[in-house]
Amino acid sequence: MNTHTNQTHTLRHDWTEAELQAIYDLPLTELVFQAQTLHRQFHDPNKVQQCTLLSIKTGACPEDCSYCPQSAHYNTDLDKEPLIDVEGALEAAKAAKDSGSTRFCMGAAWREVRDGEQFDQVLEMVRGVKALGMEACCTLGMVNEDQAKRLAEAGLDAYNHNLDTGPEYYEKIISTRTYDDRLQTIQNVRKAGVTVCSGGIVGMGETVKDRIAMLAVLAGHDPHPESVPINALVAVEGTPLEKQEPIDPIVMVRMIATARIAMPTSMVRLSAGRTAMTDETQALCFLAGANSIFAGEKLLTTANPGEDRDKALFDKLGLQPLEVAGA
Ligand code: SAM
Ligand code: DTB
Ligand code: SF4
């Protein structure tokens, strides 16, 4: 499904910010219609992939990302945990598979991967997740070319590394690394033949221009990131962004639709922030081209709707979980 097979549409990698802004600003009905029309050329409109996240190393992160409860720079009410064992991770993966997830994403609160025993353990987790027949994704901070290659050899399908926001606003959110650091890791991952998962967060006080700038950078990649998560900020007490007002749900819809139009073959993932969203908002996000959610009670450290509410949502909307090859 997620391939470049459609002949009626040529993928573009030269979207300008002005073009994307014009799309983002369309009347909502027109925007959603265009996004849904493209969505149907490349994806089954009634299928939504369920992915499960697991925090394999929690908190005490040296980075100062203003949104993140896991940063050591802020005082949040978080139980820190060193790297969990391989067995524990694989138990969680098995449980995720049994409840309908086809992708398992392991996240570590690291600035970067360091070679050694802990990385070897993560590689073992990747092999284990693959042995279960699931897609395996990791998000471990920065990786170099060699580390990306070793992840690829272990069978990793995707590496998540978000751009989070536009290049200009980035330094207002994070001071311990640069946008270029982020782009470099994405390039290392791509070179190793692992697919790229990269997106961002809305609701951090950014302007529409910052959001569009981020989409322009993402859509400027050739190939596009195969996976584009759009997160609504989960404002966590103790972080510098704790007082941010919740984002207008229509902003999420516009972001998802614009991402869908700019990167029509990619998986657009309605990621963090669903707990605070109504069923109607989520329905609009699916109409706008989102075709994946995170399943389960927890994201990495914060709450997620959980199986019962999502089952009720899927039933009400007539959506089905997406199966993937090998799963
Ligand atoms: N440490 C690694 C890194 O930053 O690349 C991987 C884990 S990090 C928690 C993964 C992503 O989660 C971040 O890039 C950010 O986009 C997202 N995220 C973290 N905290 C969030 C929050 N409070 N609300 C929404 N998204 C958040
Ligand atoms: C992504 O874009 N969102 C996920 C996943 N990729 C790794 C993480 C969301 C984390 C939300 C805050 C938390 O639960 O700690
Ligand atoms: Fe660390 Fe990642 Fe959180 Fe930033 S987003 S503080 S790098 S865990």
Side-chain angles (χ1 to χ4, degrees):
M1 191 59 78
N2 201 9
T3 53
H4 298 211
T5 49
N6 190 288
Q7 274 115 45
T8 61
H9 187 91
T10 313
L11 294 181
R12 283 186 51 189
H13 306 277
D14 60 352
W15 291 100
T16 64
E17 287 184 30
E19 285 173 315
L20 294 177
Q21 174 90 55
I23 292 169
Y24 182 97
D25 287 335
L26 282 169
L28 194 78
T29 48
E30 182 62 30
L31 174 63
V32 171
F33 176 75
Q34 285 189 19
Q36 178 63 207
T37 304
L38 263 174
H39 186 63
R40 283 163 184 261
Q41 287 186 33
F42 297 96
H43 310 271
D44 182 334
N46 307 317
K47 295 265 162 78
V48 172
Q49 185 179 22
Q50 288 175 257
C51 312
T52 296
L53 281 166
L54 176 69
S55 182
I56 57 171
K57 185 264 164 182
T58 308
C61 182
E63 302 274 41
D64 69 353
C65 313
S66 307
Y67 49 75
C68 188
Q70 302 201 65
S71 167
H73 297 255
Y74 317 125
N75 213 342
T76 59
D77 180 22
L78 179 84
D79 292 328
K80 302 172 194 67
E81 251 196 80
L83 188 66
I84 65 169
D85 59 27
V86 175
E87 208 175 288
L90 295 182
E91 263 168 37
K94 175 84 176 47
K97 181 182 173 172
D98 289 344
S99 59
S101 276
T102 52
R103 187 174 175 107
F104 193 67
C105 180
M106 294 165 279
W110 286 331
R111 170 178 162 75
E112 72 229 310
V113 168
R114 300 222 186 101
D115 295 321
E117 217 174 284
Q118 298 214 337
F119 185 41
D120 294 344
Q121 218 170 305
V122 174
L123 294 171
E124 199 49 42
M125 292 176 192
V126 171
R127 283 189 280 269
V129 170
K130 288 313 293 174
L132 287 171
M134 302 178 87
E135 292 181 355
C137 175
C138 277
T139 181
L140 314 168
M142 295 184 249
V143 290
N144 62 33
E145 273 187 51
D146 179 62
Q147 291 161 343
K149 231 174 72 202
R150 292 181 65 200
L151 285 164
E153 283 160 8
L156 190 74
D157 293 284
Y159 195 83
N160 166 258
H161 205 62
N162 288 342
L163 290 179
D164 284 336
T165 189
E168 270 179 37
Y169 196 58
Y170 199 74
E171 60 183 42
K172 302 250 169 21
I173 296 298
I174 299 148
S175 78
T176 49
R177 59 167 187 258
T178 66
Y179 216 66
D180 280 344
D181 291 333
R182 246 18 215 175
L183 292 169
Q184 185 61 55
T185 287
I186 290 173
Q187 194 180 318
N188 296 342
V189 166
R190 176 62 76 200
K191 248 194 182 158
V194 173
T195 70
V196 172
C197 173
S198 188
I201 307 177
V202 296
M204 301 192 294
E206 74 286 346
T207 61
V208 175
K209 204 167 171 294
D210 296 316
R211 291 176 201 143
I212 298 295
M214 176 186 86
L215 288 179
V217 176
L218 291 170
H221 282 100
D222 186 6
H224 292 150
E226 286 76 3
S227 172
V228 181
I230 305 292
N231 297 273
L233 175 74
V234 180
V236 179
E237 217 181 301
T239 64
L241 295 180
E242 64 179 359
K243 293 266 152 57
Q244 278 297 319
E245 287 293 312
I247 193 73
D248 181 337
I250 298 299
V251 167
M252 280 298 280
V253 178
R254 288 190 180 278
M255 273 302 273
I256 287 169
T258 309
R260 169 54 66 224
I261 292 167
M263 296 170 278
T265 63
S266 302
M267 298 296 289
V268 176
R269 305 188 191 269
L270 169 56
S271 302
R274 289 196 307 115
T275 303
M277 281 176 205
T278 63
D279 289 356
E280 295 88 329
T281 295
Q282 296 186 63
L284 265 178
C285 289
F286 298 133
L287 257 179
N291 56 350
S292 166
I293 56 163
F294 285 117
E297 302 281 327
K298 231 184 189 190
L299 292 161
L300 288 171
T301 67
T302 65
N304 197 48
E307 209 176 328
D308 293 349
R309 185 176 160 198
D310 281 339
K311 188 176 179 319
L313 178 70
F314 273 47
D315 285 351
K316 180 152 75 167
L317 302 182
L319 294 171
Q320 285 145 12
L322 176 77
E323 311 285 336
V324 295

